[in-house]
Amino acid sequence: MKRLVLVSFSVLLIAMATSMAMAQNLTPKPPIPASAQPPTTFPLWPDGAPGALGHEDEDIPTLTYYPALHGVPTAVIVAPGGGYRALAMNHEGWQVAYWLNAVGVSAFVLKYRLGPRYHHPIELGDAQRAIRYVRSHAAEYGIKPDRIGMMGFSAGGHLTSTA
């Protein structure tokens, strides 16, 4: 019985530490695969985001471009989940972008603004701006403007379906 309680307690501690790291976005970026180009990050709103409550990192939505070295002239905007309180950028952002690159699709990972500072419709505005930006700059990225998709996970999936 003591061994079962100790194992259960250890599993609980590991789960809590993992969820805390995800909530604080402490997961380090994975190494860039040898077959990939380094990503480029830029602000979604160069002149400042509408409704921004400051100039800190959390107030600046961004897109990170992961170019495909070969493949089709298609791109996917990826919206990581996190309950609109955090972003699971590692397993629902960077890793997905590198997988898309491996199958020949360019990716843009969206860092949208989160609660408790920001609420609907701010996140929706960030997602819609990302779609408009990628579509209007498609020629620069070698993408066809009618071959741009969006996918999301959890809250990012909700945001994707709403956008």
Side-chain angles (χ1 to χ4, degrees):
M1 180 67 174
K2 287 182 183 180
R3 188 174 293 163
L4 177 61
V5 171
L6 183 59
V7 170
S8 298
F9 183 70
S10 298
V11 169
L12 177 64
L13 285 177
I14 291 169
M16 287 174 51
T18 302
S19 67
M20 286 175 51
M22 282 176 42
Q24 295 177 10
N25 225 357
L26 297 176
T27 307
K29 290 184 181 180
I32 298 170
S35 61
Q37 290 183 351
T40 305
T41 301
F42 51 91
L44 193 56
W45 307 88
D47 298 325
L53 301 174
H55 301 291
E56 303 298 319
D57 188 49
E58 64 190 15
D59 302 309
I60 304 170
T62 63
L63 272 179
T64 301
Y65 173 53
Y66 294 80
L69 295 177
H70 64 289
V72 294
T74 302
V76 174
I77 301 166
V78 179
Y84 290 112
R85 299 268 184 223
L87 292 175
M89 283 295 220
N90 184 12
H91 63 283
E92 295 175 0
W94 305 305
Q95 290 183 22
V96 174
Y98 287 134
W99 175 79
L100 287 166
N101 288 169
V103 296
V105 176
S106 294
F108 291 83
V109 176
L110 173 64
K111 183 190 84 160
Y112 52 93
R113 291 174 282 173
L114 303 167
R117 286 177 60 95
Y118 297 101
H119 301 284
H120 180 77
I122 294 293
E123 301 90 345
L124 178 59
D126 291 346
Q128 291 173 334
R129 169 70 175 191
I131 295 166
R132 286 192 308 269
Y133 177 87
V134 175
R135 200 175 278 156
S136 67
H137 292 84
E140 296 170 36
Y141 296 111
I143 300 164
K144 291 186 178 179
D146 61 343
R147 297 199 55 180
I148 299 167
M150 187 167 183
M151 69 183 297
F153 302 86
S154 190
H158 174 260
L159 183 60
T160 297
S161 67
T162 306

PDB file of all heavy atoms in Angstrom, residues 1-2 4 42 54 73 86 92 102 111 113 119 124 137 158:
ATOM      1  N   MET A   1       0.832  -1.195   0.000  1.00  0.00           N
ATOM      2  CA  MET A   1       0.000   0.000   0.000  1.00  0.00           C
ATOM      3  C   MET A   1       0.872   1.253   0.000  1.00  0.00           C
ATOM      4  O   MET A   1       0.598   2.182  -0.726  1.00  0.00           O
ATOM      5  CB  MET A   1      -0.940  -0.052   1.208  1.00  0.00           C
ATOM      6  CG  MET A   1      -1.843   1.131   1.313  1.00  0.00           C
ATOM      7  SD  MET A   1      -3.014   1.117  -0.049  1.00  0.00           S
ATOM      8  CE  MET A   1      -4.040   2.448   0.395  1.00  0.00           C
ATOM      9  N   LYS A   2       1.950   1.268   0.825  1.00  0.00           N
ATOM     10  CA  LYS A   2       2.824   2.435   0.883  1.00  0.00           C
ATOM     11  C   LYS A   2       3.496   2.670  -0.464  1.00  0.00           C
ATOM     12  O   LYS A   2       3.670   3.810  -0.884  1.00  0.00           O
ATOM     13  CB  LYS A   2       3.877   2.272   1.971  1.00  0.00           C
ATOM     14  CG  LYS A   2       3.342   2.399   3.360  1.00  0.00           C
ATOM     15  CD  LYS A   2       4.456   2.264   4.364  1.00  0.00           C
ATOM     16  CE  LYS A   2       3.904   2.327   5.772  1.00  0.00           C
ATOM     17  NZ  LYS A   2       4.965   2.205   6.761  1.00  0.00           N
ATOM     18  N   LEU A   4       2.323   1.870  -3.456  1.00  0.00           N
ATOM     19  CA  LEU A   4       1.317   2.385  -4.380  1.00  0.00           C
ATOM     20  C   LEU A   4       1.088   3.877  -4.139  1.00  0.00           C
ATOM     21  O   LEU A   4       1.019   4.666  -5.082  1.00  0.00           O
ATOM     22  CB  LEU A   4       0.014   1.604  -4.234  1.00  0.00           C
ATOM     23  CG  LEU A   4      -1.157   2.073  -5.098  1.00  0.00           C
ATOM     24  CD1 LEU A   4      -0.784   1.943  -6.582  1.00  0.00           C
ATOM     25  CD2 LEU A   4      -2.394   1.287  -4.802  1.00  0.00           C
ATOM     26  N   PHE A  42       8.167  37.572 -36.456  1.00  0.00           N
ATOM     27  CA  PHE A  42       7.912  38.987 -36.674  1.00  0.00           C
ATOM     28  C   PHE A  42       6.580  39.356 -36.035  1.00  0.00           C
ATOM     29  O   PHE A  42       5.705  38.500 -35.867  1.00  0.00           O
ATOM     30  CB  PHE A  42       7.921  39.329 -38.171  1.00  0.00           C
ATOM     31  CG  PHE A  42       7.048  38.447 -39.003  1.00  0.00           C
ATOM     32  CD1 PHE A  42       5.729  38.782 -39.249  1.00  0.00           C
ATOM     33  CD2 PHE A  42       7.536  37.263 -39.532  1.00  0.00           C
ATOM     34  CE1 PHE A  42       4.920  37.961 -40.008  1.00  0.00           C
ATOM     35  CE2 PHE A  42       6.736  36.436 -40.301  1.00  0.00           C
ATOM     36  CZ  PHE A  42       5.416  36.789 -40.530  1.00  0.00           C
ATOM     37  N   GLY A  54      -0.250  47.303 -23.406  1.00  0.00           N
ATOM     38  CA  GLY A  54       1.130  47.610 -23.053  1.00  0.00           C
ATOM     39  C   GLY A  54       2.058  47.267 -24.195  1.00  0.00           C
ATOM     40  O   GLY A  54       1.607  47.033 -25.330  1.00  0.00           O
ATOM     41  N   PRO A  73       3.215  24.634 -52.884  1.00  0.00           N
ATOM     42  CA  PRO A  73       3.096  26.050 -52.504  1.00  0.00           C
ATOM     43  C   PRO A  73       1.915  26.278 -51.554  1.00  0.00           C
ATOM     44  O   PRO A  73       0.998  27.034 -51.832  1.00  0.00           O
ATOM     45  CB  PRO A  73       2.899  26.753 -53.841  1.00  0.00           C
ATOM     46  CG  PRO A  73       2.217  25.735 -54.693  1.00  0.00           C
ATOM     47  CD  PRO A  73       2.777  24.411 -54.264  1.00  0.00           C
ATOM     48  N   ALA A  86      -2.366  30.188 -21.639  1.00  0.00           N
ATOM     49  CA  ALA A  86      -0.963  29.878 -21.945  1.00  0.00           C
ATOM     50  C   ALA A  86      -0.939  29.311 -23.358  1.00  0.00           C
ATOM     51  O   ALA A  86      -1.993  29.045 -23.938  1.00  0.00           O
ATOM     52  CB  ALA A  86      -0.415  28.852 -20.953  1.00  0.00           C
ATOM     53  N   GLU A  92       2.483  21.792 -29.643  1.00  0.00           N
ATOM     54  CA  GLU A  92       1.355  22.223 -30.475  1.00  0.00           C
ATOM     55  C   GLU A  92       1.729  23.416 -31.357  1.00  0.00           C
ATOM     56  O   GLU A  92       0.862  24.037 -31.949  1.00  0.00           O
ATOM     57  CB  GLU A  92       0.157  22.566 -29.594  1.00  0.00           C
ATOM     58  CG  GLU A  92      -0.394  21.353 -28.863  1.00  0.00           C
ATOM     59  CD  GLU A  92      -1.518  21.692 -27.892  1.00  0.00           C
ATOM     60  OE1 GLU A  92      -1.893  22.883 -27.774  1.00  0.00           O
ATOM     61  OE2 GLU A  92      -2.023  20.759 -27.247  1.00  0.00           O
ATOM     62  N   ALA A 102       8.399  18.828 -42.959  1.00  0.00           N
ATOM     63  CA  ALA A 102       8.885  17.518 -43.403  1.00  0.00           C
ATOM     64  C   ALA A 102       8.018  16.935 -44.517  1.00  0.00           C
ATOM     65  O   ALA A 102       8.513  16.162 -45.332  1.00  0.00           O
ATOM     66  CB  ALA A 102       8.943  16.541 -42.224  1.00  0.00           C
ATOM     67  N   LYS A 111       1.390  33.304 -32.266  1.00  0.00           N
ATOM     68  CA  LYS A 111       1.383  33.600 -30.828  1.00  0.00           C
ATOM     69  C   LYS A 111       0.343  34.699 -30.642  1.00  0.00           C
ATOM     70  O   LYS A 111       0.561  35.844 -31.011  1.00  0.00           O
ATOM     71  CB  LYS A 111       2.753  34.065 -30.337  1.00  0.00           C
ATOM     72  CG  LYS A 111       2.780  34.300 -28.811  1.00  0.00           C
ATOM     73  CD  LYS A 111       4.052  34.978 -28.372  1.00  0.00           C
ATOM     74  CE  LYS A 111       3.838  36.442 -28.567  1.00  0.00           C
ATOM     75  NZ  LYS A 111       4.637  37.377 -27.875  1.00  0.00           N
ATOM     76  N   ARG A 113      -2.673  36.833 -28.296  1.00  0.00           N
ATOM     77  CA  ARG A 113      -2.772  37.391 -26.943  1.00  0.00           C
ATOM     78  C   ARG A 113      -3.725  36.559 -26.089  1.00  0.00           C
ATOM     79  O   ARG A 113      -4.691  35.991 -26.594  1.00  0.00           O
ATOM     80  CB  ARG A 113      -3.224  38.850 -27.018  1.00  0.00           C
ATOM     81  CG  ARG A 113      -2.125  39.717 -27.617  1.00  0.00           C
ATOM     82  CD  ARG A 113      -2.566  41.125 -27.844  1.00  0.00           C
ATOM     83  NE  ARG A 113      -3.399  41.179 -29.062  1.00  0.00           N
ATOM     84  CZ  ARG A 113      -4.046  42.251 -29.459  1.00  0.00           C
ATOM     85  NH1 ARG A 113      -3.990  43.366 -28.746  1.00  0.00           N
ATOM     86  NH2 ARG A 113      -4.773  42.242 -30.566  1.00  0.00           N
ATOM     87  N   HIS A 119      -9.299  39.188 -23.744  1.00  0.00           N
ATOM     88  CA  HIS A 119     -10.467  38.314 -23.898  1.00  0.00           C
ATOM     89  C   HIS A 119     -11.059  38.513 -25.290  1.00  0.00           C
ATOM     90  O   HIS A 119     -10.677  39.430 -26.014  1.00  0.00           O
ATOM     91  CB  HIS A 119     -11.521  38.628 -22.830  1.00  0.00           C
ATOM     92  CG  HIS A 119     -10.998  38.467 -21.438  1.00  0.00           C
ATOM     93  ND1 HIS A 119     -10.805  37.240 -20.854  1.00  0.00           N
ATOM     94  CD2 HIS A 119     -10.575  39.379 -20.528  1.00  0.00           C
ATOM     95  CE1 HIS A 119     -10.319  37.410 -19.639  1.00  0.00           C
ATOM     96  NE2 HIS A 119     -10.164  38.696 -19.420  1.00  0.00           N
ATOM     97  N   LEU A 124      -9.439  36.550 -31.574  1.00  0.00           N
ATOM     98  CA  LEU A 124     -10.012  36.372 -32.902  1.00  0.00           C
ATOM     99  C   LEU A 124      -9.423  37.378 -33.886  1.00  0.00           C
ATOM    100  O   LEU A 124      -9.101  37.037 -35.024  1.00  0.00           O
ATOM    101  CB  LEU A 124     -11.537  36.503 -32.846  1.00  0.00           C
ATOM    102  CG  LEU A 124     -12.279  36.386 -34.183  1.00  0.00           C
ATOM    103  CD1 LEU A 124     -12.005  35.043 -34.840  1.00  0.00           C
ATOM    104  CD2 LEU A 124     -13.768  36.604 -33.964  1.00  0.00           C
ATOM    105  N   HIS A 137       0.770  38.300 -48.361  1.00  0.00           N
ATOM    106  CA  HIS A 137       2.209  38.156 -48.611  1.00  0.00           C
ATOM    107  C   HIS A 137       2.561  36.794 -49.216  1.00  0.00           C
ATOM    108  O   HIS A 137       3.715  36.388 -49.202  1.00  0.00           O
ATOM    109  CB  HIS A 137       2.997  38.365 -47.311  1.00  0.00           C
ATOM    110  CG  HIS A 137       2.945  39.768 -46.814  1.00  0.00           C
ATOM    111  ND1 HIS A 137       1.913  40.242 -46.060  1.00  0.00           N
ATOM    112  CD2 HIS A 137       3.811  40.793 -46.980  1.00  0.00           C
ATOM    113  CE1 HIS A 137       2.132  41.506 -45.771  1.00  0.00           C
ATOM    114  NE2 HIS A 137       3.266  41.874 -46.325  1.00  0.00           N
ATOM    115  N   HIS A 158     -10.425  26.007 -31.190  1.00  0.00           N
ATOM    116  CA  HIS A 158     -11.613  26.858 -31.080  1.00  0.00           C
ATOM    117  C   HIS A 158     -11.389  28.163 -31.834  1.00  0.00           C
ATOM    118  O   HIS A 158     -12.248  28.624 -32.603  1.00  0.00           O
ATOM    119  CB  HIS A 158     -11.938  27.145 -29.605  1.00  0.00           C
ATOM    120  CG  HIS A 158     -13.051  28.112 -29.422  1.00  0.00           C
ATOM    121  ND1 HIS A 158     -12.816  29.435 -29.124  1.00  0.00           N
ATOM    122  CD2 HIS A 158     -14.389  27.956 -29.514  1.00  0.00           C
ATOM    123  CE1 HIS A 158     -13.977  30.052 -29.039  1.00  0.00           C
ATOM    124  NE2 HIS A 158     -14.959  29.171 -29.265  1.00  0.00           N
TER     125      HIS A 158
END
